[in-house]
Amino acid sequence: MKRSVFLVILFLFTQQAFSQQAPYTGTKTPYPVPKTATSAAPAGYQPVWINYVGRHGARFLTKAGSDVKLLKVLSEAEQKQGLTTTGKLIKQMVQRFLTIEKNNYEFISLLGKQEQAGIGARLLQQYPTVFKGGGKGLSVEVTHKIRTRQSAEAFVSQLGGYTGNIHFEQVQDSNENVLRFYDLSPAYLKFKKSDAVSRPIDSLNKDVQTQTVALHVAKKLFTSSWLKASTDKGEAYNWNTIAEYLYDLYSVQFSIPLEMKVKGYTKDSIDFGIAFSTADLVWLEFKNSAEDFLEKGAGTDTLGIQSRVAAPLLVDFINTTNEALHAPAGTASEAILRFTHAEAISPFATLLGIPQASVPSPAIRAYNQHWQASAIIPLSANIQWILYSNGNDFLVKVLLNEKEVALPIATTQYPYYKWTDVKQYYLKKLESLHVSPGDDMHRYLLELQ
């Protein structure tokens, strides 16, 4: 099949996969295919190198939990004639959901593969001068989680016609300083459990709106007589938790439309949205994304530990870019493609100073005025540094989810920045964090405070 025809078919297929909207799903939002065109490069410049880091694609649940626990509660209620008509429908949907999830936990879905394939195809289509098949080829780095390797394989599978070497490297899980830095810093792990995170989240969990949503969902699922009987008997049903279980399944359902089709299920066969009002979903997304904002977003301080923990990834981007641009001809990789998780993408975006990812909020109830999880770290989220050259100088353009973004650096050619200015700016930022490009990043993470 000719490459041009293939790309058209891929585009149509991918667009069809995204036809089902996923409202109010936060970090589980399927990747939004960009619709905006990229800016033309300054005269005389062409793309020569790419530095890339991306989140894995749309996935199944990472483990059995919300699905089996919710089914257990619904089954117990059904045995006592405690389910409403909607509750019975939801129980059937959970059972169908489980048939799809079985043996697929942790994996990316067919939609996830399409997301990654689409990004890879667009990268090749937009920057063909990078992919010449020379030098060391492509360097592909993945974490020890299988969904990152599956994402990488789907991504590179669409680099049709590429003749160079593709070198895969799985970084050891005990030394993933660049791709899973958030798991290696004792101070950061302690921060996630600290009052700085737990207090504002507790305030939202105890908010009257949380109770309102929980009660609304409970009344949708369970009969009033069963609700009253279970309450009178003092049975330990946490309605907030049940609403969260259901919201978890609601969010994931948008990642498995193709598996539903393979099973012969219609769109209505698994639609957990029937148990929620729009107001319910708005609040649940707000509440869940608030924790993401504090733990891996701008939080209350853009240079808090939740962004400083990403210094190893920034160091790696600077070092690898500098090495590639100054390596003898034919000796460097043409691109570095890293595949990781949301916990790496969001703090990196904050550390870079990308506007939509780096506005702090002292009040947790106002965080979403500037920060949206679905826009910054949807499934397959990515950050790209595209390097351009005119034979003498280098420019860099930064993309967040394939959209051009501004950097806190002066330029007369937006969205293109002089590489020397970008490097100098981020080296100074690292210096303010007491980090140098040659430092031992594993030790940095262990000693980070």
Side-chain angles (χ1 to χ4, degrees), residues 136-207:
K136 293 183 179 179
L138 303 180
S139 177
V140 182
E141 300 175 2
V142 300
T143 74
H144 70 281
K145 296 293 185 179
I146 191 170
R147 55 188 176 274
T148 62
R149 175 168 282 274
Q150 291 174 328
S151 297
E153 290 172 347
F155 188 105
V156 301
S157 72
Q158 298 310 315
L159 300 179
Y162 180 72
T163 59
N165 294 321
I166 300 178
H167 175 66
F168 272 81
E169 178 184 358
Q170 177 180 314
V171 183
Q172 293 299 312
D173 58 348
S174 60
N175 191 35
E176 292 180 305
N177 306 312
V178 173
L179 298 182
R180 287 180 66 89
F181 47 78
Y182 49 87
D183 276 344
L184 299 180
S185 166
Y188 176 67
L189 295 175
K190 183 178 180 181
F191 162 77
K192 289 172 63 177
K193 297 179 180 180
S194 70
D195 288 347
V197 174
S198 62
R199 282 183 178 175
I201 298 306
D202 284 346
S203 73
L204 296 181
N205 286 331
K206 295 175 182 177
D207 190 277

Side-chain angles (χ1 to χ4, degrees), residues 260-272:
M260 288 171 58
K261 188 175 182 179
V262 169
K263 287 282 187 179
Y265 297 148
T266 65
K267 179 181 177 181
D268 294 335
S269 298
I270 300 179
D271 180 12
F272 298 111

Side-chain angles (χ1 to χ4, degrees), residues 323-334:
E323 290 167 5
L325 297 186
H326 295 91
T331 63
S333 299
E334 295 170 5

